[in-house]
Amino acid sequence: MRADGWYGSDNNAGSALSFSPDRDAEIRFILEQYSDNPTAQASLVPTTKLRYMIGPKLRFMDQNNGNAFSLSARVLFWRQIDSSVSGIGVLFGEFLASYKANNQLVFTAAPKLAAFGGTDIAGLGLGVNYAISDDVQLIAEVTPVGLDGSTATWAAGVRYNVGNSGFAIDAQATNANGRYGIGAMVAQDDPRFSLTLSKVFDLRRAKFY
């Protein structure tokens, strides 16, 4: 199980909880408030109010088990929480491919699609992770978009894994309106900065008595 919490500029904040019933499956629940920066294209932002996302992720190929690369797919259903506003639902899906070139360098590619109402956005996330050491990684991604989207999003940051504690700290800069789902494909003019604290729990060692 993994828990994440983050906060950043333009009031973007959220938390996520991921549970893996086995090594090739994951269920993720997310609460997020997208950036309230007014420079994001309004027609592509369903709402800046708090919303939840939930959905599964399945892995089909694993480079660590002899496949040429790793491949998984994720689906997220998104809905706002505020009942005083007409509910807006967003369906988001993506494939996640990664190739580990060596012990330090990993390349990623993620075609993705989001839809709500009459709005559709497609994107292709292209990224690279570089491990400076066992505890520090540099992470960068750019996502060209199409259909109703027109401006590419980008993100760059550093991750520090706190030894064997299961904790990690991320510092990130991005021009994306949000962190997950459609928000990661909607650009704003001004860059945002955020900090994330993550914790991985090994439930195999937990005792429930």
Side-chain angles (χ1 to χ4, degrees), residues 7-133:
Y7 185 79
S9 52
D10 296 330
N11 293 312
N12 172 243
S15 60
L17 186 65
S18 304
F19 173 73
S20 298
D22 64 50
R23 64 188 309 273
D24 292 320
E26 175 187 277
I27 299 172
R28 175 165 288 188
F29 180 76
I30 304 164
L31 290 172
E32 183 174 15
Q33 178 173 302
Y34 285 171
S35 162
D36 58 11
N37 190 295
T39 62
Q41 185 176 335
S43 63
L44 301 181
V45 182
T47 178
T48 58
K49 296 181 180 295
L50 185 67
R51 81 292 311 277
Y52 70 84
M53 289 172 265
I54 188 169
K57 175 184 174 182
L58 296 175
R59 181 166 57 188
F60 306 111
M61 299 171 61
D62 186 353
Q63 189 175 358
N64 293 326
N65 286 336
N67 296 123
F69 58 94
S70 297
L71 178 67
S72 59
R74 186 196 336 259
V75 175
L76 289 172
F77 174 73
W78 173 104
R79 196 167 181 85
Q80 66 187 26
I81 294 175
D82 188 351
S83 60
S84 65
V85 184
S86 299
I88 298 175
V90 177
L91 185 63
F92 171 84
E94 65 179 341
F95 285 99
L96 303 157
S98 66
Y99 175 73
K100 186 176 182 180
N102 53 49
N103 289 332
Q104 291 181 293
L105 189 61
V106 177
F107 296 99
T108 61
K112 55 193 75 179
L113 177 67
F116 69 96
T119 300
D120 303 297
I121 306 177
L124 177 60
L126 300 171
V128 59
N129 294 17
Y130 182 76
I132 297 177
S133 67

Side-chain angles (χ1 to χ4, degrees), residues 128 138-142 154-158 171-175 192-194:
V128 59
L138 300 178
I139 303 171
E141 183 179 76
V142 61
W154 57 265
V158 59
Q172 183 189 64
T174 181
N175 74 331
R192 295 190 302 102
F193 303 92
S194 64

